[in-house]
Amino acid sequence: MWRLFQYTIHRAPLLSKTLRRRNIHVMYYDLQDSEQSHSPPAKRPITEVQAGISESFKRARIEHEEPEKTLDATEHEGPSDTPAADRKQGKRDAAGWAKSRRGKAKDTKNKGRRRGTRDQDKDGEKEGEEQSPRAPRLPKKQSALLIGFCGTGCNGMQIQPDVRTIEGVLFDALVRAGAVSSDNADDPVKVNLGRAARTDAGVHAAGNLVSMKLITAIPGVKDWVARVNEELPQEIRVWGSVRVQNSFNARMSCDSRKYTYFFPSYLLIPPKPGSGFQRAYEKHAQSMHGVVPLDASAHSFWSAPESHSSTPMDDLLRKRSWRISSDQVELIRRAANKFEGTHNFHNFTVGREFGDRSNQRHMWKIEISDPAVYGDTEWISVLFHGQSFMLHQRLYFGSSDTMTNWSQRKMMSALVLSCRTSTPSQVIDELYGPRMVMIPKMPALGLLLEYPIFDSYNKKVTSINEKLEPSHPDYRPKIDFEKHRESIDAFKQTFIYDNMRCIEDRDGVFDAWMRSIDSYGGDDLLYLNPKGIIPASAVIKKGEKRENPFKEKRKFDLTSFPDKQGTPTIEDDEETESKLNKSRLEDMEG
């Protein structure tokens, strides 16, 4: 052992020289100093040891360090003249050894930036210029905003780049009011923005909920909700704010949603005799045995002498003065009951196969009001209360979020078209089956989100609040839109109902939609027949091109006509919708 120790001491200078060539430095410690203190020995400056010099009672410790620069094979690193204290200390592991970054790119991401702040260069502050002092950071609380809006003029609910949306207008108002700091103003994700239900372009909401982390104690502002409303246009309102749990998710915490669809009762008048749809209907009905097809020409509306040579405008004026019978109201109510319960709603959305388990949704209740006359037109409202609404269905359920409102519009279309053609309500059961058919969407103008419902969350916080005082920091109020019923009803009348009827009186949106249905003479709508059975000619097969497919007009996704002078371009919604993947569909449903 002693000879091995002497050999090691004697060979130390040569070993040191060899290791330095490989960028490994030798550090020496005096054993005598270490024996006098229990603390770790201090490092000595790195010095080159001349060959032949031997000092007893010294030991070596090898330490790896990352070179400051890459050396050529012929270069040798000499002794460092920089004091150890002035050299940059690299990252070290638990044993004290330096961590090597050999082969890794230099990390400059977010250098000099604090997480949650914007790049100062984007605000015009360049490096080297004097910067103004940063505003103090104010505490944020997870909050739920109860809002209402008229969707006219907005491209839907969710924030989108370069277009006006409800969330975009709301978020900008929150920034101006001080509820969202300037550091977070560039990205709503920073404040965890979420919504209970998405709405399509032009769709209205008497009540919806948006959650995010907000500054609720704004310096110099007594009522911050009122301050936000001052920054908002009159057609977008914040009813109130509720402090919610930090884990609150607006979409996932929503149990169900209520929607109302309004439509003029004249949509239940049978197809115009001689129209493309009526000819296709009669031709298909003649091939069916034991049935009596609908004779549209015998209907009181079309049998009137003035209907024989009337123009579309003449027909519209007469339609607005037409009134539905009580028997027809009961007929549509019985058909609507077919939607209640749990069913496979794959035909009321797009991009979903029949076997997709997410198609199974539950409809709690459907209520159809008695007809009411406003101005010259008679209107009917249909209230849907459902568990989860799918893409295009919005009429119908509620626990995932969406382009969502199409499904409710498809349900209303199936309801109205089957009743106006005297198709048995059995066709609704057929639509739950595996065969895929084309169901047009009713105009977006008539759709209104009443409000989302959070029964499960309210029960949860009620149980927690039993042991707490309202002043306790953990106390969480229930989410209740009914507290603001008076303000909501006044807003609905002025900005939604009056606006909806004004647009219909001006543009005749619903009549234009029905005429687009009647002008189609293909096979896609032949499931509307006297037996209520889907024929093979109306079935859509994946990957097969159909002859004369029904093509929807995108103008009915808006709340008014974009071009009153000419005919808008007819586009095929199905081609666009088929490109949506499953994750996109889940995000778009609500």
Side-chain angles (χ1 to χ4, degrees):
M1 181 62 71
W2 176 251
R3 290 182 179 180
L4 179 61
F5 180 72
Q6 286 183 323
Y7 176 80
T8 302
I9 295 301
H10 178 72
R11 298 290 293 178
L14 182 60
L15 176 62
S16 175
K17 186 175 182 180
T18 302
L19 295 177
R20 278 198 307 277
R21 291 174 181 172
R22 300 182 181 181
N23 194 40
I24 302 174
H25 302 281
V26 180
M27 309 294 292
Y28 291 96
Y29 301 89
D30 195 336
L31 292 180
Q32 293 180 355
D33 293 341
S34 63
E35 292 174 356
Q36 296 176 3
S37 174
H38 295 288
S39 60
K43 295 183 180 179
R44 293 186 179 182
I46 300 174
T47 57
E48 185 171 2
V49 182
Q50 301 294 333
I53 299 178
S54 176
E55 297 182 70
S56 60
F57 302 105
K58 289 185 177 181
R59 65 182 180 182
R61 176 182 177 185
I62 300 176
E63 177 173 316
H64 297 270
E65 292 182 357
E66 181 69 12
E68 295 294 326
K69 62 180 180 177
T70 304
L71 301 177
D72 295 335
T74 57
E75 290 184 349
H76 300 281
E77 183 180 357
S80 175
D81 297 328
T82 305
D86 294 337
R87 291 194 303 275
K88 182 179 179 180
Q89 297 295 327
K91 294 182 179 181
R92 300 175 182 273
D93 59 18
W97 302 92
K99 291 184 178 180
S100 174
R101 287 189 54 83
R102 186 184 298 277
K104 298 181 180 179
K106 188 175 181 181
D107 185 11
T108 58
K109 182 178 180 182
N110 293 330
K111 185 176 181 179
R113 287 184 59 192
R114 171 172 59 86
R115 182 180 179 185
T117 61
R118 289 183 285 181
D119 191 344
Q120 299 298 334
D121 290 345
K122 294 181 180 179
D123 295 332
E125 299 180 5
K126 304 296 183 182
E127 186 176 356
E129 296 182 2
E130 183 178 354
Q131 299 182 4
S132 59
R134 189 179 300 277
R137 298 184 62 132
L138 300 174
K140 300 186 294 291
K141 297 180 180 180
Q142 184 73 3
S143 305
L145 292 180
L146 280 59
I147 66 172
F149 55 84
C150 172
T152 302
C154 286
N155 196 30
M157 175 73 181
Q158 190 176 30
I159 287 181
Q160 302 176 46
D162 304 323
V163 294
R164 187 175 189 264
T165 64
I166 300 297
E167 284 184 356
V169 175
L170 174 63
F171 188 77
D172 290 343
L174 290 169
V175 172
R176 293 192 298 270
V180 174
S181 66
S182 58
D183 285 344
N184 296 329
D186 61 329
D187 188 1
V189 175
K190 294 179 179 179
V191 293
N192 196 27
L193 174 64
R195 82 286 309 164
R198 291 180 58 176
T199 56
D200 295 338
V203 175
H204 316 301
N208 200 354
L209 184 143
V210 175
S211 63
M212 67 185 88
K213 296 178 181 178
L214 294 175
I215 300 171
T216 57
I218 305 174
V221 178
K222 185 176 181 180
D223 186 349
W224 71 272
V225 172
R227 177 71 183 88
V228 173
N229 279 325
E230 292 175 2
E231 297 291 341
L232 287 170
Q234 291 297 312
E235 65 270 17
I236 303 176
R237 296 287 89 188
V238 176
W239 308 128
S241 173
V242 178
R243 175 72 167 97
V244 293
Q245 294 179 326
N246 293 336
S247 60
F248 180 82
N249 182 298
R251 181 172 68 89
M252 301 305 295
S253 299
C254 180
D255 298 312
S256 60
R257 300 173 179 87
K258 287 186 177 182
Y259 284 87
T260 301
Y261 194 90
F262 298 88
F263 70 96
S265 63
Y266 67 70
L267 292 187
L268 298 172
I269 297 174
K272 185 171 184 177
S275 63
F277 177 84
Q278 182 63 20
R279 291 195 303 268
Y281 171 87
E282 291 176 351
K283 182 179 178 180
H284 178 64
Q286 290 173 2
S287 65
M288 307 177 72
H289 301 287
V291 298
V292 179
L294 171 69
D295 184 5
S297 61
H299 190 273
S300 59
F301 184 86
W302 296 118
S303 62
E306 58 268 29
S307 66
H308 298 159
S309 59
S310 60
T311 64
M313 182 54 66
D314 294 334
D315 289 341
L316 177 56
L317 293 177
R318 293 176 54 235
K319 288 176 181 177
R320 287 175 173 167
S321 62
W322 182 82
R323 301 296 179 254
I324 191 174
S325 66
S326 58
D327 291 341
Q328 285 180 297
V329 174
E330 290 304 316
L331 177 66
I332 195 172
R333 282 173 176 162
R334 288 196 299 270
N337 290 337
K338 289 285 186 178
F339 286 125
E340 294 183 353
T342 302
H343 307 287
N344 188 319
F345 288 90
H346 73 102
N347 267 320
F348 297 92
T349 184
V350 295
R352 300 227 184 239
E353 300 292 337
F354 171 74
D356 192 333
R357 295 177 60 186
S358 62
N359 294 327
Q360 297 291 331
R361 306 297 175 91
H362 186 80
M363 173 65 66
W364 294 106
K365 191 175 184 181
I366 297 180
E367 295 180 355
I368 298 180
S369 67
D370 291 330
V373 177
Y374 298 95
D376 296 331
T377 307
E378 184 180 59
W379 293 78
I380 298 175
S381 66
V382 182
L383 176 66
F384 293 81
H385 181 194
Q387 168 205 357
S388 178
F389 287 90
M390 304 166 65
L391 179 64
H392 305 339
Q393 173 188 351
R394 189 64 84 206
L395 290 179
Y396 116 103
F397 304 101
S399 120
S400 60
D401 176 64
T402 130
M403 242 160 56
T404 38
N405 312 126
W406 294 2
S407 291
Q408 315 153 305
R409 293 161 58 190
K410 281 177 174 275
M411 292 176 65
M412 275 304 306
S413 176
L415 186 62
V416 169
L417 293 179
S418 63
C419 289
R420 78 185 291 254
T421 58
S422 298
T423 300
S425 59
Q426 173 189 339
V427 70
I428 304 297
D429 296 325
E430 289 273 312
L431 295 175
Y432 299 142
R435 284 171 291 185
M436 183 181 298
V437 300
M438 199 288 163
I439 304 177
K441 302 187 302 292
M442 289 273 278
L445 176 63
L447 188 59
L448 167 67
L449 168 62
E450 291 289 351
Y451 57 87
I453 299 172
F454 298 86
D455 285 340
S456 297
Y457 175 80
N458 287 341
K459 291 178 181 178
K460 178 180 177 181
V461 297
T462 299
S463 177
I464 297 174
N465 292 342
E466 290 178 353
K467 303 176 182 178
L468 303 175
E469 295 293 332
S471 59
H472 194 280
D474 292 334
Y475 185 90
R476 297 292 181 267
K478 295 191 297 183
I479 298 174
D480 186 9
F481 282 88
E482 293 301 325
K483 291 182 178 179
H484 313 281
R485 175 52 55 193
E486 184 177 351
S487 299
I488 291 175
D489 288 343
F491 178 84
K492 285 166 63 176
Q493 186 63 47
T494 304
F495 291 95
I496 298 179
Y497 296 154
D498 291 350
N499 177 70
M500 184 186 302
R501 295 162 190 154
C502 178
I503 292 175
E504 166 59 20
D505 291 342
R506 185 191 69 200
D507 297 333
V509 176
F510 289 96
D511 181 61
W513 177 78
M514 191 56 73
R515 284 189 285 109
S516 73
I517 299 293
D518 289 349
S519 64
Y520 175 69
D523 296 339
D524 283 0
L525 304 181
L526 291 183
Y527 55 85
L528 300 169
N529 57 63
K531 285 190 175 181
I533 298 176
I534 300 176
S537 56
V539 176
I540 299 175
K541 297 181 180 179
K542 190 175 182 180
E544 290 188 10
K545 189 174 182 179
R546 312 192 306 280
E547 183 180 352
N548 189 20
F550 182 88
K551 295 183 179 181
E552 301 197 85
K553 297 179 181 180
R554 290 191 180 276
K555 67 179 182 179
F556 299 120
D557 291 335
L558 306 176
T559 54
S560 62
F561 283 65
D563 181 8
K564 297 184 218 177
Q565 303 299 325
T567 302
T569 303
I570 298 177
E571 301 180 32
D572 190 349
D573 279 352
E574 291 186 4
E575 292 181 0
T576 302
E577 296 161 10
S578 62
K579 298 177 182 178
L580 299 172
N581 57 34
K582 187 172 182 179
S583 60
R584 175 64 175 157
L585 284 170
E586 291 175 351
D587 176 63
M588 292 173 64
E589 293 179 359

